[in-house]
Amino acid sequence: MGSLKGEKEDGKHVTEALLRREDAIIDAEEKDEREEEERFGKKLWVETKKLWIIVGPSIFSRLASFTMNVVTQAFAGHLGEVELAAISIANTVIVGFNFGLLLGMASALETLCGQAFGAKRYHMLGIYMQRSWIVLFLCCFLLLPVYVFATPLLKLVGQPDDVAEWSGVVAMWLIPLHFSFAFQFPLQRFLQCQLKTAVIAWVSLLGLVVNVFTSWLFIYVWDFGLYGAAISLDISWWVLVLGMYAYTAYGGCPLTWTGFSLEAFSGLWEFLKLSSASGLILENWYYRILVLMTGQLENATIAVDAFMTINGWEMMIPLAFFAGTGVRVANELGAGKGKAAKFATQVSVAQSTVIGLIFCVLIMIFHDYLAYIFTTSSSVLHAVDNMSFLLAFTILLNSIQPILSGVAVGSGWQAYVAYINLGCYYLIGLPLGIIMGWVFKTGVAMSNDDGCAWQGIWGGMIFGGTAIQTLILIIVTARCDWEKEAEKAYFRVNHWSKSNSNGQLETSN
């Protein structure tokens, strides 16, 4: 009996020991999970701060720049319907086509400057920016015929003669604005890649204030009419250039700006190839074509303007994420941190998508009231109300696609993504939009066939082009080998860099 009792006691002790061991293992696992969650939370917070240092000021600066155009058009609208249509078309279509190409070409700097900054090749950022100035300035000359022959081009696509004539005149007066892009876009990316985004926001605020004042002065006080509206835009955009350059050249960027260099004239052909591929990444041209196509839909014009303005304002947020993602990915890849680049991508896509969902829900909730921002016309209110679902889906989709394009820019995939864009937009989206809009007049019925046709055009281009492109970019990004991308960035930095941070020549590996 004593032996049996002893065995029971021993078994009890063993069981208790096993239970204590299991409890200890569970406690250790729970502790590890808590520590992992804390590490993830800290990592997420650090990445979020780095991202929003770029995204926050970028949203403001882009909203300010977009609002400058809206303000000028609002002042011009008091001159008459033809004048409003002329300034809108000249600014949105003529300038817009060139704006999109030059903006895309300048995004090559997000790859080169971003990766060079991550690799601490600081001296090269100023060289890259000067190369971009040269390439974009020459490109501006090649694009001048679009301004010079704006009137016959607009008549060719069906614009009324009076609108086409005035638009051509305004386009000629906007040539100084056109050349400002060649310097402003590279300066903006040069500063963004160094996380010096606050200065961009302050300069943009100054440009907006100047725009409001000069628009009032030239149009209302001095009665310059449309010429005054164009001059106001010219001055405002050059304020952005001079403001950012003054900050850069007079002590704001001591590591990355060491003055003008003849080295900027070397490697221009390779730089031109990378910039050209970058110019095809942004879908700016795609939506300018939509504006031209709807120019013949006279009954839908006001509703379309309201739709495009709402979408344009909100689009500044994903475009800011485009810039922020490109810089963050480029910085991490340049520093040889593939996993960090992947995490930066995930954080940016997730946060932009959440913001897009919030706007999507708000539009669906307040769909009855959206157009009150622009008009009290019952027909326009009804038209915009009917288009609210399409607007909500567009905003949701645009909260993902530009961010994935930013990943492509930061990684240096410009040429590859350019082919994807050309195929999705112009071989699928545009033909589908024409078929749905002009042939089948697909869309939610408004008060006229024009509104229905417009919705068909936009819906076909969004569902057929942007949605497919987004899906392809999701697959490409998900399958990316980030460590291999970091290796590619290392070789790219060595290939493009001719100098180290002290400005001394070094041998590429």
Side-chain angles (χ1 to χ4, degrees), residues 329-439:
V329 170
N331 284 170
E332 298 296 354
L333 289 179
K337 301 175 182 177
K339 290 182 179 178
K342 179 181 180 180
F343 187 69
T345 297
Q346 293 169 336
V347 171
S348 186
V349 170
Q351 294 188 4
S352 179
T353 302
V354 169
I355 294 173
L357 281 170
I358 292 172
F359 275 97
C360 183
V361 171
L362 288 174
I363 287 170
M364 296 307 295
I365 292 174
F366 298 105
H367 60 93
D368 292 337
Y369 307 100
L370 291 176
Y372 277 111
I373 302 171
F374 309 98
T375 183
T376 56
S377 168
S378 59
S379 61
V380 175
L381 291 173
H382 177 67
V384 175
D385 181 23
N386 282 337
M387 293 189 290
S388 59
F389 173 77
L390 187 57
L391 177 61
F393 180 78
T394 300
I395 286 174
L396 179 60
L397 198 59
N398 283 338
S399 68
I400 303 172
Q401 183 272 331
I403 289 73
L404 296 176
S405 293
V407 175
V409 168
S411 304
W413 303 341
Q414 282 92 332
Y416 179 57
V417 176
Y419 288 118
I420 294 174
N421 286 10
L422 289 173
C424 292
Y425 289 152
Y426 302 107
L427 298 182
I428 300 174
L430 188 57
L432 183 61
I434 292 172
I435 292 171
M436 290 180 64
W438 293 104
V439 179

Side-chain angles (χ1 to χ4, degrees), residues 14-55:
V14 170
T15 302
E16 289 177 352
L18 289 172
L19 289 174
R20 285 196 298 272
R21 184 180 177 186
E22 288 179 1
D23 289 340
I25 292 173
I26 291 172
D27 289 342
E29 290 177 348
E30 290 178 349
K31 183 180 179 181
D32 288 342
E33 288 177 1
R34 286 195 299 270
E35 289 178 353
E36 183 67 28
E37 288 176 358
E38 288 175 0
R39 284 196 296 269
F40 176 79
K42 184 178 180 181
K43 184 180 176 183
L44 177 62
W45 175 242
V46 170
E47 177 57 38
T48 299
K49 286 196 296 183
K50 289 180 179 178
L51 177 65
W52 278 90
I53 285 173
I54 307 169
V55 171

